[in-house]
Amino acid sequence: MSQEINHEFFMREAIRLANESVAAGGGPFGAVIVRDGRILAGCSNSVTIDNDPTAHAEVNAIRSACRSVGNFSLAGCTIYTSCEPCPMCLGAIYWAGIDHIYYGNTRKDAAEVNFADDFIYEELERPIASRRLPMQRLLAGEALESFRLWSAKTDKTEY
């Protein structure tokens, strides 16, 4: 017998965390990760509090949830986030194996209050040579050695 999940309850929790974050000096973002109707982690944005540009609510929640379950996989989980994830957070959500995303504000809503992630989405669509941040390959042959070592390793943990 499956349990009915109250998605609005969990979204309200993410929004509450976002509101609390603003009051505490953080950014206006909150995220909650749920598995089987139970909150594994609820976090807010702490970029300015921790002086860490990666401390977005979703990333903080993923780190906390993974510690909670003792695994890097959050398969079977749902994330509720007060705003559509930025490219970094979306990538982290995919890497964590989260099954579903619910979000409140859109990235356009975020842009209206000066959180403009669209430029990163746009940059990702451009060829590497056309991006604002210069990127160039260096020591490719030497760098491939770690991939050779990984491929040959028989006792690795795949992810």
Side-chain angles (χ1 to χ4, degrees), residues 127-153:
I128 288 175
S130 300
R131 293 180 185 167
R132 285 194 261 174
L133 183 61
M135 290 177 65
Q136 73 185 79
R137 197 167 183 194
L138 184 63
L139 298 177
E142 291 179 38
L144 283 172
E145 180 61 18
S146 359
F147 285 172
R148 286 188 203 99
L149 291 168
W150 174 259
S151 292
K153 189 170 177 61

Side-chain angles (χ1 to χ4, degrees), residues 9 21-22 28 37 56 58 61 80 84 109 121 125 147 153 158:
F9 171 83
S21 181
V22 172
H56 291 198
E58 298 91 336
Y80 299 83
E84 180 181 356
D109 296 329
Y121 281 103
E125 292 178 6
F147 285 172
K153 189 170 177 61
E158 305 253 358

Side-chain angles (χ1 to χ4, degrees), residues 3-95:
Q3 176 181 343
E4 184 67 28
I5 303 295
N6 186 341
H7 299 294
E8 291 178 359
F9 171 83
F10 296 119
M11 180 56 75
R12 284 190 179 102
E13 180 64 10
I15 293 166
R16 183 189 66 75
L17 289 166
N19 293 341
E20 283 183 2
S21 181
V22 172
F29 305 97
V32 174
I33 296 176
V34 175
R35 181 185 280 156
D36 298 327
R38 188 175 70 84
I39 295 176
L40 297 179
C43 295
S44 60
N45 177 294
S46 61
V47 168
T48 57
I49 294 167
D50 295 336
N51 293 315
D52 178 352
T54 69
H56 291 198
E58 298 91 336
V59 171
N60 287 343
I62 288 168
R63 289 173 179 159
S64 179
C66 286
R67 280 191 302 270
S68 173
V69 300
N71 196 310
F72 56 82
S73 173
L74 295 176
C77 291
T78 298
I79 189 166
Y80 299 83
T81 180
S82 63
C83 187
E84 180 181 356
C86 75
M88 176 185 69
C89 293
L90 185 59
I93 290 165
Y94 272 102
W95 279 115

Side-chain angles (χ1 to χ4, degrees), residues 87-120:
M88 176 185 69
C89 293
L90 185 59
I93 290 165
Y94 272 102
W95 279 115
I98 291 173
D99 293 356
H100 200 103
I101 302 169
Y102 289 93
Y103 64 93
N105 295 312
T106 67
R107 66 189 205 222
K108 302 293 183 199
D109 296 329
E112 289 179 15
V113 293
N114 296 319
F115 288 97
D117 300 329
D118 274 346
F119 84 94
I120 300 173

